[in-house]
Structures are given as structure tokens and as C-alpha cells.
Amino acid sequence: MTLGNKIAWDDTVLPFQLDKSDIRGRVARLDGVLHGILKQHDYPATVEALVAEMALLTALIGQTINLRWKLSLQVQTNGPVRMIATDYYGPTKDGEPARIRAYASFDEERLTDASPFEQLGNGYFAVLIDQGGGTKPYQGIAPLTGGSLSASAEGYFAQSEQLPTRFALKFGKSIEPGVGEHWRAGGVMLQHMPKASPHASGEGGSGENGLLTASDLLEENEEENWNRANILLSSVEELELIGPTVTPADLLVRLFHEEAPRVYDAQAVKFGCTCSEERVRQSLSIYSARDIEKMTTPEGRVTADCQFCGTHYDLDPMTVGKDAGKAAE
């Protein structure tokens, strides 16, 4: 299916700042991106919902990284949905779209009728940032908590970054004239600006299992501003978030007009995978001829499938591995 009648603000992330409250944020709208991610797989509905939520979180969080950087979000669990992985590739230069990809690994026979988040069981939410060659990737981990992936992401920012953070997300299948059923998603992210003196008492926080919360990280006057912005965000309606008729800028004015919202240039995003035959060959280059022989199919080929986009690679075993080409010499 090709999506038609694309709305101007679909597949964009709009950064903004609430000057009166010392709060920054983003508004994201995803349409074609989600279609590109989910059409690669035949996920059950509950898995689709989890992947859609992770993709939306990835768009909102990823907009903050620099050009050519890579942000990865991962969830690892002992539940029916074992893993969800997403990547956000920053634009290679100003004016170009960022790229997002995602996939999930799950045991279909273990899925239940419970909520999507309950399919995760115990596990963790991880954020990884790769700044490019010559740098050591950053990694932060927080427990899955709060009954949703967005609550777990809020917990990550409180624990690892000590930044009060709030997400309001909506996602689901939409039916539009001339388009048919497809996924749409929208969300808002609020984040208090960093402070010079983060929480460092070492006594834990007031949240679940001693986790830090916004009230543990903010001074009294800051907490008042934060709470006010959160109350305003709580008034948002589902159709305003998903946004077929309300632009991101109009949504900000409706929610936060008294907070003096200031918007910046929107960042376009698209579905994009970085897999290639060259990368597959590179990943196989560490294996000996004996290892490659074990990977060879009865048809005499070495095959690989990209978990993100489903591309199938079919290679001659004589041309892969660290001993490639030696037998022919």
C-alpha cells in the first residue's frame, strides 16, 4: 500500500521551548515512518503496538542528537516479547531527513490477552549513543517500570540523566478516505532544562523501588512550573496528538500559550535501513572457512536476513569469511 494525501507535518519532529517555565520539548507526528517499519513484518497487534510506541519515543529522543550520530533504544526482557530495538540516524547534513528503523523479537506462543506492556515481563530500557569513529559509545540503562515504555523512558532520564521528563503518546490504526487502514502516531515530550547541581544525595528517590522522580530533582519554584506544564499537557486530546487536522504549532499554542512557546525548525524523519551486502560480508569476515562451511545451506549458499527491513542476502560461501578467495588461488 502506498500512502497518499500526505499531510505536511507527518513524519516530522518539531522542537520547542517554554521560556516562562525553563522547559524544552518536541512534538512528533509519524505516519509513513511507522508504515515503513511495520510493513516489513507480520507482527501480532500487541507487538505492533509496542514497536509503534518505541518508534515514537525514538523520534522524540533522537531529535536531540547531532548530525551523523546514531541513537539506539533497546528493551530486553524475560517476557513473551524478548527484545525491541530501534535506531535513529541523525541527518548527514542540515536539511536532510533523519532515519528510523525498528524490529521486535518475540515468542508468539507465549503472548497473552494482557496489555502490550505486560508482554514484556522483567527487563530493562537502554539508551545507546554512537558519536562516530574514534569515540566510545555512551550507554545508559534503567528498569522497565510504570506500566508503559514511555514511563520507563521517563525513569531512564530521571535516573541516568537526572532530567525531569514527561511523554504524552498516542498511536493506533487510522482509516482515512483514499488511504485505507494504516498506523498513525503522535506525541509530545517535555523536559526540564538541565541544572548545574543534579541530585546527588545517594539516598534514592520517592518513586517505585526507590527510583528518582521529578519532585526529587526540582527546587520548589521549578516544581511549580513543571507541574503546571504537566497539567496543561494532560489536557491534550487523542486527535490533537495524532494530528490529522491540528498542526504541531497550533497544538503548542492551544496547550501552552501562557508559557510563551517558542518553536524551532522541524526535523523530517523517514524509515531507513543501513543494511547492505558489504556490511553482511564485513560481519562474516571474522569467521574461518570451517565456520563458513557450517553456515552453508544444503544448496551451497550462505544466507542472511536483515531483522530490521527483511532484505535477504544470498552469498557464495567461497567469497565470504576471513579465508575468502584462498581456495581459488
Side-chain angles (χ1 to χ4, degrees), residues 28-74:
R29 299 281 173 75
L30 301 184
D31 184 73
V33 169
L34 274 185
H35 178 68
I37 289 172
L38 295 174
K39 76 175 182 180
Q40 315 298 329
H41 311 276
D42 186 20
Y43 291 142
T46 188
V47 178
E48 280 191 319
L50 289 167
V51 174
E53 185 176 6
M54 277 285 279
L56 187 51
L57 288 170
T58 303
L60 287 164
I61 298 171
Q63 192 276 331
T64 63
I65 68 172
N66 292 349
L67 295 177
R68 293 179 293 278
W69 287 15
K70 174 187 174 184
L71 168 84
S72 299
L73 302 186
Q74 289 186 10

Side-chain angles (χ1 to χ4, degrees), residues 289 317-319 322-329:
M318 299 298 296
T319 66
K322 60 185 179 182
D323 299 321
K326 289 185 178 180
E329 292 177 356

Side-chain angles (χ1 to χ4, degrees), residues 36 38 44-45 64 92 94 102 107 120 127 132 158 181 191 267 273 296 298 304:
L38 295 174
T64 63
T92 55
D94 287 326
D107 298 320
L120 298 176
V127 176
E181 186 178 66
Q191 196 164 60
Q267 172 64 60
C273 192
T296 302

Side-chain angles (χ1 to χ4, degrees), residues 100-135:
I100 298 178
R101 63 181 190 171
Y103 84 95
S105 176
F106 61 97
D107 298 320
E108 188 163 9
E109 66 278 5
R110 295 175 60 200
L111 294 173
T112 70
D113 293 331
S115 70
F117 188 76
E118 291 177 88
Q119 313 300 321
L120 298 176
N122 295 320
Y124 64 82
F125 181 96
V127 176
L128 302 92
I129 298 177
D130 185 350
Q131 301 177 29
T135 65

